């Protein structure tokens, strides 16, 4: 695909259109994350720096959040139609060159636009050490930090 085409903003929205999320360019890949929460949502994430992503909501829109486990991210979905729209990093924003990103659900985009984007299935998060032992899902394979 031509380089200029990759830098065209890509819109997405939940089913009822209350929440719109626009990313600045095509993702390198989409991730069908297989952690205990993402596989239930059936999402395909693309990752961007939060400053690059435009989130617009209709005046009467309600964005619901689900926060669990280590509380490192909120999962944001539409209260009206239930579609998962994005996850947002919680806690302090890193000041140095540390990675800082959010996930946008590419299943809310036009599938035609994503036709040639690589699709990955990530299992790594299932085994990432967690700190919040009490709040995890029973199926989670994570090991716990003490
Ligand atoms: Zn909606």
């Amino acid at each position: 695909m031509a380089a200029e085409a990759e830098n065209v903003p890509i819109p997405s929205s939940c089913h009822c259109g209350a929440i719109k999320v626009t990313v600045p360019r095509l993702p390198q890949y989409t991730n069908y994350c297989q952690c205990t929460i993402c596989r239930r949502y059936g999402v395909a994430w693309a990752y961007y720096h939060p400053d690059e992503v435009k989130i617009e909501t209709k005046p009467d829109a309600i964005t619901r959040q689900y926060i669990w486990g280590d509380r490192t991210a909120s999962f944001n979905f539409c209260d009206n139609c239930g579609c998962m729209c994005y996850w947002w990093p919680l806690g302090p924003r890193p000041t140095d060159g540390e990675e800082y990103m959010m996930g946008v659900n590419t299943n809310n985009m036009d599938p035609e636009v994503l036709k040639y984007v690589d699709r990955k299935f990530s299992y790594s998060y299932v085994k990432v050490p967690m700190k919040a032992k009490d709040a995890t899902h029973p199926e989670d394979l994570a090991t716990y930090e003490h």
Side-chain angles (χ1 to χ4, degrees):
M1 187 171 286
E4 64 266 35
E6 290 170 4
N7 287 315
V8 172
I10 302 166
S12 68
S13 81
C14 66
H15 194 263
C16 76
I19 302 171
K20 284 175 67 180
V21 181
T22 305
V23 300
R25 72 191 92 82
L26 267 184
Q28 299 264 320
Y29 64 93
T30 61
N31 179 22
Y32 291 73
C33 179
Q34 297 298 301
C35 83
T36 54
I37 185 65
C38 291
R39 70 169 193 262
R40 284 175 167 79
Y41 288 143
V43 291
W45 300 119
Y47 304 107
Y48 297 91
H49 193 285
D51 291 348
E52 298 182 299
V53 176
K54 193 163 87 180
I55 298 167
E56 297 160 285
T57 52
K58 285 189 174 167
D60 58 344
I62 298 170
T63 305
R64 305 278 300 183
Q65 292 193 324
Y66 181 57
I67 302 169
W68 75 296
D70 281 355
R71 307 183 71 81
T72 52
S74 65
F75 293 86
N76 298 265
F77 59 97
C78 176
D79 183 58
N80 185 43
C81 68
C83 291
M84 178 55 56
C85 294
Y86 57 95
W87 67 256
W88 186 266
L90 300 177
R93 182 183 275 239
T95 46
D96 48 18
E98 215 180 303
E99 192 177 54
Y100 189 62
M101 61 178 191
M102 66 178 290
V104 176
N105 186 7
T106 61
N107 286 339
N108 297 337
M109 296 173 183
D110 178 357
E112 202 61 27
V113 173
L114 298 163
K115 231 156 70 172
Y116 302 108
V117 174
D118 286 344
R119 286 146 205 249
K120 294 186 180 178
F121 289 77
S122 166
Y123 291 85
S124 62
Y125 291 109
V126 179
K127 291 163 186 157
V128 160
M130 293 185 66
K131 295 183 180 89
K133 185 172 183 165
D134 297 336
T136 191
H137 189 276
E139 290 171 16
D140 201 296
L141 302 176
T143 53
Y144 300 95
E145 289 178 346
H146 299 288

